[in-house]
């Protein structure tokens, strides 16, 4: 029986400015926290009980990994009052460790064959086995000299010759060794415990593995890890691929669905048909990619990103919730809101203009405020121009309905984010002039209002209130929205509803399937230019529709998809 002990204390922030934003164990590798890879390797090896040592930034770590059920493991958290390093943390957790324990750093990638390491440990009857690797170019961990019998002879800070191995920060320990570590004291296994044991003639066994190891010491390491995982997944599909780094990982797990060889896309993405992409490429959940954008090989785009029209991103990592502006060119960079980092030189450039590189929420909020202002101004102008007709139809509706001229129709708006992190469809009320009795019979002027669509004039007040836009998707009834179960249909819910839109121009109101297709296409291609074009074309579309609505008796009427405006 073996348990694992992961060091996630966030004591050493080795990757600023990235670790100023996230704890080191949560740094995303192809949009997944780095410690996720370690947990998956343990789960595959059959190690189900995992202890995680925490000290700083505990809340985001526990929120991310939870109980471990999603990986089929049981995670227990061990909180440290002080920064005691890996040895001190291990000693603090000693009461929970009654069996062989595999100690691993949570902030590094160690593609270790756990079965082989445990077999080596057990065959040599070791109480402490050090997991080592060939030296890494940027490592900060110590080195070790190994005797011919496979035992560690000495731990050194700098390699004196080529015959050394690098300590990875991973160990296999037996519970009996924990008594050698002082309680409530800082103790580093590599530089404190191992030299002490060697001085006491205590055998310390070595196990050198050849799998992928990246200590994530520098920004260059972090950038390399993105490329290794992405190209490893690509080569798993096509073994003839020679581009990219030579290193590989055994289990390059990537979220999202594969839409083409080497191209993975998350859920609820909106990607313009004109986008040019080249593998390998990963696009996270809830991303928006504008027209004529170019996404090149080796690119990782985190969840919730916006890549605007004609932007180019190649061989780069874009962190979640980042906006990349129009015509911006990103190549071999790490980008997060407001900052561009060169992983080779570690030089960072702060971008003040949020419309070049910014946070999606800030950019969309600014755009939304501007769009809302233009929509309300447009609605106000239309209300003024149409005021005589609005007053006349309002008087008629009031007289015919007995003083109840308006009727509120329940409709479904765009998808919104709740405070608990869940999403839902925003309910709204669409106001029309009342045109029918409660039993469905037309009021004396109701058929005329519906034929000319004048019953919809109060929708302009909904635009003033911010419930509708002038141009958008069709406001569906709750029953209609409930019929849209397929993922591609859900994309229409990412866009606010409007008084007019592609659905109106194409006169697809009487066919829900046609409405959804028009709305999905609109949501993928919308821009202020297309909205203006649709708005200009609406009067001609209205003339066409009223001709259809006023055909001679005997020909079918094509009216609004809305249910009868009854009492």
């Amino acid at each position: 029986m073996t348990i694992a002990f992961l060091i996630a204390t966030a004591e050493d922030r080795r990757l600023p400015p990235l670790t100023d934003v996230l704890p080191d164990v949560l740094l995303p590798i192809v949009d997944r926290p780095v410690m996720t890879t370690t947990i998956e390797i343990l789960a595959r090896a059959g190690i189900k009980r995992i202890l995680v040592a925490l000290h700083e930034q505990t809340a985001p770590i526990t929120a991310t990994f939870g109980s471990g059920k999603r990986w089929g493991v049981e995670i227990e958290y061990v909180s440290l009052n002080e920064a005691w390093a890996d040895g001190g943390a291990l000693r603090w957790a000693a009461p929970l460790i009654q069996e062989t324990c595999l100690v691993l750093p949570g902030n590094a990638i160690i593609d270790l064959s756990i079965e082989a390491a445990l077999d080596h440990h057990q065959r040599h009857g070791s109480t402490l086995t050090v997991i080592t690797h060939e030296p890494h170019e940027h490592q900060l961990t110590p080195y070790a000299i190994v005797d011919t019998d496979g035992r560690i002879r000495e731990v050194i800070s700098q390699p004196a010759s080529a015959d050394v191995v690098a300590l990875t920060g991973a160990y296999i320990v037996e519970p009996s060794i924990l008594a050698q570590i002082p309680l409530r004291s800082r103790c580093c296994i590599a530089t404190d415990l191992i030299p002490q044991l060697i001085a006491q003639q205590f055998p310390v066994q070595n196990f050198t593995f050849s799998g992928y190891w990246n200590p994530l010491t520098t920004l260059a390491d972090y950038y390399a890890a993105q490329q290794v995982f992405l190209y490893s997944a690509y080569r798993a599909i096509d073994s003839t691929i020679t581009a990219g780094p030579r290193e590989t990982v055994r289990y390059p797990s990537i979220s999202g669905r594969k839409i083409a060889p080497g191209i993975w896309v998350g859920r609820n993405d909106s990607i313009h048909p004109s986008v040019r992409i080249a593998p390998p490429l990963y696009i996270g959940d809830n991303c928006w990619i504008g027209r004529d954008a170019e996404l090149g090989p080796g690119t990782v785009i985190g969840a919730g990103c916006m890549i605007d029209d004609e932007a180019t991103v190649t061989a780069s990592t874009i962190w979640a919730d980042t906006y990349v502006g129009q015509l911006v060119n990103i190549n071999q960079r790490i980008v997060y809101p407001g900052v561009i980092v060169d992983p080779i030189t570690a030089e960072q450039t702060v971008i003040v203009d949020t419309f070049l590189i910014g946070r999606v929420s800030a950019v969309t909020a600014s755009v939304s405020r501007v769009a809302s202002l233009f929509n309300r101004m447009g609605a106000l102008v239309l209300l003024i121009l149409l005021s005589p007709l609005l007053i006349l139809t309002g008087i008629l509706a009031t007289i015919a309905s007995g003083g109840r001229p308006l009727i509120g129709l329940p409709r479904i708006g765009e998808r919104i984010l709740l405070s608990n992190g869940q999403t839902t469809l925003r309910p709204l009320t669409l106001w029309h002039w009342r045109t029918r009795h409660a039993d469905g019979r037309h009021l004396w002027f109701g058929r005329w209002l519906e034929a000319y669509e004048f019953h919809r004039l109060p929708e302009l007040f909904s635009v003033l209130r911010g419930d509708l836009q002038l141009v958008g998707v069709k406001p569906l009834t709750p029953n209609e929205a409930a019929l849209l179960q397929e993922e591609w249909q859900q994309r229409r819910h990412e866009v606010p509803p409007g008084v007019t839109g592609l659905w109106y121009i194409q006169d697809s109101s009487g066919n829900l399937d046609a409405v959804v297709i028009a709305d999905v296409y609109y949501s993928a291609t919308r821009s202020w230019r297309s909205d203006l074009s649709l708005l200009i074309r609406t009067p001609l579309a209205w003339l066409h529709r009223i001709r259809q609505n006023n055909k001679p008796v005997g020909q079918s009427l094509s009216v609004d998809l809305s249910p009868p405006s009854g009492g």
Side-chain angles (χ1 to χ4, degrees), residues 373-404:
L373 177 62
F374 276 103
N375 272 276
R376 293 181 181 186
M377 289 179 59
L380 183 60
V381 170
L382 288 174
L383 283 171
I384 293 173
L385 294 176
L386 298 175
S387 57
L389 182 61
L390 184 68
I391 294 171
L392 174 62
T393 53
I395 292 173
L396 292 175
T398 302
I399 295 172
S401 63
R404 295 185 301 157

Side-chain angles (χ1 to χ4, degrees), residues 27-80:
L27 292 178
I29 304 295
V30 193
D31 209 27
R32 301 167 75 241
V34 60
M35 199 166 79
T36 301
T37 299
T38 302
I39 292 175
E40 290 179 348
I41 290 174
L42 293 170
R44 286 190 178 95
I47 297 178
K48 301 302 183 182
R49 185 178 176 219
I50 300 175
L51 305 177
V52 177
L54 302 176
H55 174 53
E56 295 185 357
Q57 300 174 293
T58 61
I61 297 173
T62 56
T64 299
F65 298 104
S67 65
K69 287 184 178 180
R70 77 187 79 170
W71 297 281
V73 300
E74 177 187 348
I75 295 179
E76 302 174 50
Y77 297 98
V78 181
S79 296
L80 278 64

Side-chain angles (χ1 to χ4, degrees), residues 99-161:
E99 54 272 296
T100 302
C101 181
L102 176 61
V103 181
L104 292 167
N107 60 357
I109 301 170
I110 301 179
D111 192 11
L112 172 69
S113 174
I114 294 176
E115 297 87 344
L118 289 173
D119 179 68
H120 180 90
H121 175 79
Q122 292 162 359
R123 282 191 294 104
H124 288 82
S126 304
T127 53
L128 173 60
T129 296
V130 180
I131 309 297
T132 62
H133 196 275
E134 291 183 2
H136 189 278
E137 182 181 2
H138 304 129
Q139 80 174 74
L140 294 179
T141 56
Y143 301 82
I145 299 174
V146 182
D147 283 333
T148 54
D149 60 0
R151 294 181 180 181
I152 301 292
R153 182 205 308 168
E154 184 182 0
V155 174
I156 56 179
S157 59
Q158 296 293 333
S161 67

